[in-house]
Amino acid sequence: MSETTIETRDHIGIIRLNRPDKLNALNTTLMTQVIEALEQFDRDNNIRCMLLAGDQRAFAAGADINEMADATMIEMHHRNMFGRWDRIKKIRKPIVAAVSGYALGGGCELMMCCDIVVASETARFGQPEVNLAIIPGAGGTQRLTRAIGKARAMDLILTGRMITADEALAMGLVSRVVPAEQWFDAALQLCQELCEKAPMALQAGKDAVNSAFETTLTEGIEVEKKLFYMLFATDDQTEGMRAFVEKRKPVFVGR
Ligand code: CAA
């Protein structure tokens, strides 16, 4: 059974989590489908960015607790259910998350694997794992700390409390908050804007920003410089600068 719906619109690959009765809790099948769809879109030359969304009530309320409730430590070790999430880090094209309702636990962690988050004013975020006597296991302790700093990450992870979209915006966990009825369309519109940019520049920008989390400042600046110079090998760079000089809109072809 499909736990996701996958479609393309122009150059956008859209993946929607589809377990509405379970607030899109992330079970094995759903996560396999999400990761495979992201990889498929990443390989598809027609696709320039991806949109990952839940529904109005929930982006995702976490990993599926029913799948873990009776597991032993040895089973969890062998299952390594979050090991495959590392594949999301390797996706080169931008991923926009459209978040309405709950983004909790693994849902918040999946959202943090995305590159730009558009949140409904109704969205609620949190890492409530402590209430289950566990901790975040899909990168939450690391990505949340990098996103909002130690003091706030400790507060959220040790109390398990939920925060509003405005708090998430103020903390830097999301970059845009939109009226409730626009949560999906605003994210789609953002994807359309990204599709008009030069694809290689988008991928280089993503790569360079992400390297800020993996390297020293000196190494990161070296990465940035190499990517910057590399873009001068693309037709789109020539077109972008020529169009500016000629005072016209550039048309980017992705090479
Ligand atoms: N796993 C499995 N099922 C879940 C779920 C989850 N994470 N979250 C919600 N559901 C299910 C509920 O069991 C319920 O199913 P039934 O109708 O069959 O009983 C359905 O979704 C609707 O949920 P509620 O009735 O609970 O809805 P509510 O509006 O009363 O409450 C909520 C909403 C506060 C989000 C509540 O559902 C909740 O607390 N969910 C769990 C949140 C959580 O603890 N997430 C972390 C999971 S662990 C994790 O994610 C580890 C990690 O790091 C990856």
Side-chain angles (χ1 to χ4, degrees):
M1 198 187 117
S2 190
E3 311 278 26
T4 51
T5 58
I6 315 279
E7 62 170 307
T8 58
R9 275 193 223 179
D10 302 321
H11 297 295
I12 307 165
I14 303 175
I15 303 164
R16 295 198 66 163
L17 313 183
N18 187 29
R19 296 186 78 206
D21 297 346
K22 300 292 177 187
L23 302 182
N24 295 323
L26 307 169
N27 64 11
T28 306
T29 310
L30 183 149
M31 278 312 297
T32 302
Q33 290 172 2
V34 167
I35 293 166
E36 287 178 357
L38 288 170
E39 290 177 335
Q40 177 74 32
F41 284 141
D42 210 33
R43 285 191 296 268
D44 183 340
N45 288 337
N46 186 49
I47 296 297
R48 294 188 176 188
C49 78
M50 284 85 120
L51 175 58
L52 184 60
D55 54 43
Q56 197 167 1
R57 196 165 163 221
F59 179 72
D64 191 319
I65 297 167
N66 294 306
E67 269 191 352
M68 299 182 283
D70 297 326
T72 65
M73 185 273 275
I74 297 293
E75 281 163 357
M76 289 301 281
H77 174 78
H78 288 307
R79 208 185 281 176
N80 190 18
M81 58 196 278
F82 302 130
R84 86 183 80 168
W85 287 51
D86 294 342
R87 285 157 59 190
I88 304 175
K89 222 169 130 229
K90 299 199 171 79
I91 301 292
R92 293 172 308 169
K93 295 173 186 170
I95 310 171
V96 173
V99 178
S100 175
Y102 298 111
L104 301 176
C108 189
E109 291 167 299
L110 179 60
M111 180 195 90
M112 288 190 285
C113 291
C114 299
D115 303 308
I116 306 181
V117 181
V118 177
S120 160
E121 60 194 350
T122 65
R124 294 290 178 272
F125 307 85
Q127 296 289 161
E129 287 88 346
V130 70
N131 299 326
L132 303 168
I134 56 171
I135 64 170
T141 61
Q142 304 306 300
R143 288 202 175 89
L144 191 65
T145 307
R146 282 165 169 76
I148 67 176
K150 175 185 164 181
R152 287 152 161 176
M154 282 290 189
D155 183 336
L156 295 192
I157 289 169
L158 300 191
T159 68
R161 76 181 173 92
M162 282 188 226
I163 56 170
T164 64
D166 283 340
E167 285 176 278
L169 183 67
M171 290 180 182
L173 183 58
V174 307
S175 58
R176 301 182 187 201
V177 174
V178 297
E181 65 282 4
Q182 288 171 24
W183 71 277
F184 186 81
D185 289 345
L188 191 61
Q189 163 80 35
L190 169 60
C191 288
Q192 278 154 357
E193 275 174 43
L194 295 182
C195 287
E196 289 178 17
K197 312 289 182 202
M200 289 294 285
L202 288 180
Q203 292 181 35
K206 169 170 174 164
D207 200 3
V209 172
N210 280 335
S211 65
F213 297 104
E214 306 280 352
T215 60
T216 63
L217 179 61
T218 305
E219 288 163 344
I221 285 172
E222 278 307 310
V223 169
E224 180 190 88
K225 265 191 289 198
K226 288 198 172 90
L227 288 166
F228 181 85
Y229 299 146
M230 180 199 80
L231 290 169
F232 283 73
T234 64
D235 293 346
D236 284 343
Q237 173 273 327
T238 310
E239 164 67 4
M241 293 196 177
R242 194 169 288 160
F244 176 82
V245 172
E246 294 170 2
K247 301 191 186 304
R248 62 177 172 79
K249 200 169 177 246
V251 179
F252 296 123
V253 292
R255 39 170 210 274

